[in-house]
Amino acid sequence: MTSVLDQLRKMTVVVADTGDVDAVKTWEPVDCTTNPSLVLNALSDPASEALVSEEIDAGRKAGLSAEAVADKLTVAIGARLTELVPGRVSTEVDACLSFDTEASVKRAHEIIEDYAARGIGKERILIKLASTWEGIRAAEQLQKEGIDCNLTLLFCQAQAVACAEAGAYLISPFVGRITDWYKKSEGRDSYKPEEDPGVKSVRAIYDYYKSNGIDTIVMGASFRNVGQIKALAGCDNLTIAPALLEELDRDEAELPRRLSPENASGVAPVTMDEATFRWELNADAMATEKLAEGIRKFDVDHKKLIKLVSERLH
């Protein structure tokens, strides 16, 4: 019997939810991602030390600020990852820009230009933006320019519908964080995969997209256990942390396909203007709280990264 991971790869694009070079080499994902938390980890990773030192030294010589060097470092790690995966590397726009469309677009252009200076074309990169109304508008503008986007911190149908209307290349609905919220709210220790709120959310989004011929890729993210992953087998993409990839690789059970375009229910399309988006997001306490929390946490890690770079610059 082949492993669950090998079976999964036949029906879903497997993405590594890590910026760790050794992990990417081990698991050979199609795509991978960077975010402030993952770049922070690279600063303490001996395998990345040479790259980190080189970027900090170059920044010092150029008289760059700690923030500018942190930005360069993020792209440098992304550039290294492009050498290891055949597909895309997602690179995050600063969380503090999540409510500023113009500044998000400007930052995205800087990221693409930095990659280009390193010989990497925009076709290898996904610009990662929070699924706020402003982030989705930035993605809409960037997609029209041929810059593909990954809309992250996505917790509800309203966000998914707005992303589809904006022509986003890919969305990352967060399974585990949804489940975390409901466990706390309902006083539960666990859910069976079929009743898991995070799994059900992604299944509903997938069904809506396939029912309406939407090309935007659905990439389930933020998994807490392999049961959640198995319950979404067949989803377009799944981004999985190394520990869970290892668990899937050891498992030799049969993996049935759970999601398929042929099984779409035919649910009718809806339109999502700004007022409707804000109302529906506001009406969903889980989505409102997890979106705000996610932005805050990424911002905290971005500030930590700048602080660590600053200490090494001086």
Side-chain angles (χ1 to χ4, degrees), residues 91-101 104 127-140 142-143 149-175 177-178 201 205 209 216-219 221 272-274 276-282 284 286-296 298:
T91 303
E92 197 118 1
V93 166
D94 311 354
C96 60
L97 305 178
S98 295
F99 302 100
D100 188 332
T101 298
S104 292
I127 294 294
K128 209 168 171 190
L129 296 146
S131 300
T132 57
W133 182 257
E134 294 80 5
I136 295 167
R137 297 282 67 78
E140 182 175 42
L142 292 163
Q143 289 290 160
C149 297
N150 169 355
L151 273 294
T152 188
L153 293 174
L154 193 145
F155 299 99
C156 69
Q157 193 87 359
Q159 290 173 296
V161 171
C163 289
E165 289 185 351
Y169 178 83
L170 178 148
I171 61 166
S172 297
F174 276 31
V175 178
R177 295 194 197 186
I178 292 174
S201 176
I205 291 166
Y209 277 21
T216 299
I217 293 164
V218 180
M219 183 172 77
M272 190 61 59
D273 59 19
E274 182 177 355
T276 308
F277 175 89
R278 293 195 186 282
W279 177 256
E280 291 196 9
L281 185 61
N282 179 73
D284 188 330
M286 176 276 297
T288 299
E289 290 173 25
K290 298 310 283 186
L291 174 59
E293 177 189 71
I295 291 169
R296 285 196 304 270
F298 278 149

Side-chain angles (χ1 to χ4, degrees), residues 18-300:
T18 180
D20 179 82
V21 169
D22 289 337
V24 172
K25 285 179 180 173
T26 300
W27 297 110
E28 300 181 343
V30 175
D31 298 339
C32 60
T33 191
T34 64
N35 64 39
S37 314
L38 298 173
V39 176
L40 258 183
N41 291 341
L43 275 177
S44 56
D45 176 15
S48 302
E49 180 51 41
L51 180 149
V52 171
S53 294
E54 187 181 325
E55 290 299 320
I56 288 175
D57 288 345
R60 190 184 293 115
K61 284 173 189 165
L64 297 179
S65 67
E67 189 167 0
V69 174
D71 289 346
K72 296 274 187 195
L73 187 56
T74 300
V75 172
I77 289 167
R80 181 150 181 215
L81 293 171
T82 64
E83 298 168 9
L84 304 175
V85 296
R88 309 276 195 133
V89 174
S90 288
T91 303
E92 197 118 1
V93 166
D94 311 354
C96 60
L97 305 178
S98 295
F99 302 100
D100 188 332
T101 298
E102 194 178 321
S104 292
V105 170
K106 181 173 179 285
R107 177 73 191 113
H109 288 156
E110 289 168 0
I111 290 168
I112 293 297
E113 284 162 15
D114 196 349
Y115 274 114
R118 297 167 193 268
I120 296 155
K122 64 183 179 181
E123 72 283 351
R124 299 294 314 281
I125 306 305
L126 290 179
I127 294 294
K128 209 168 171 190
L129 296 146
S131 300
T132 57
W133 182 257
E134 294 80 5
I136 295 167
R137 297 282 67 78
E140 182 175 42
Q141 191 174 324
L142 292 163
Q143 289 290 160
K144 286 174 182 170
E145 297 173 14
I147 296 170
D148 289 334
C149 297
N150 169 355
L151 273 294
T152 188
L153 293 174
L154 193 145
F155 299 99
C156 69
Q157 193 87 359
Q159 290 173 296
V161 171
C163 289
E165 289 185 351
Y169 178 83
L170 178 148
I171 61 166
S172 297
F174 276 31
V175 178
R177 295 194 197 186
I178 292 174
T179 307
D180 293 345
W181 190 92
Y182 278 100
K183 278 166 71 175
K184 187 176 178 183
S185 174
E186 297 179 354
R188 296 276 297 260
D189 290 329
S190 63
Y191 295 90
K192 290 176 183 172
E194 293 301 310
E195 61 178 23
D196 186 303
V199 169
K200 286 163 75 173
S201 176
V202 176
R203 285 183 175 179
I205 291 166
Y206 179 91
D207 182 59
Y208 179 85
Y209 277 21
K210 302 314 173 193
S211 293
N212 293 289
I214 292 163
D215 292 332
T216 299
I217 293 164
V218 180
M219 183 172 77
S222 157
F223 293 105
R224 298 295 180 253
N225 56 66
V226 294
Q228 293 174 328
I229 296 166
K230 290 178 179 181
L232 294 173
C235 192
D236 299 332
N237 294 21
L238 295 174
T239 180
I240 306 170
L244 293 176
L245 288 171
E246 190 171 336
E247 199 173 333
L248 291 166
D249 193 46
R250 289 198 308 265
D251 190 345
E252 294 194 342
E254 188 176 343
L255 180 68
R257 183 169 187 141
R258 309 312 302 270
L259 298 183
S260 172
E262 290 77 44
N263 297 334
S265 68
V267 62
V270 296
T271 54
M272 190 61 59
D273 59 19
E274 182 177 355
T276 308
F277 175 89
R278 293 195 186 282
W279 177 256
E280 291 196 9
L281 185 61
N282 179 73
D284 188 330
M286 176 276 297
T288 299
E289 290 173 25
K290 298 310 283 186
L291 174 59
E293 177 189 71
I295 291 169
R296 285 196 304 270
K297 283 186 172 177
F298 278 149
D299 187 49
V300 165

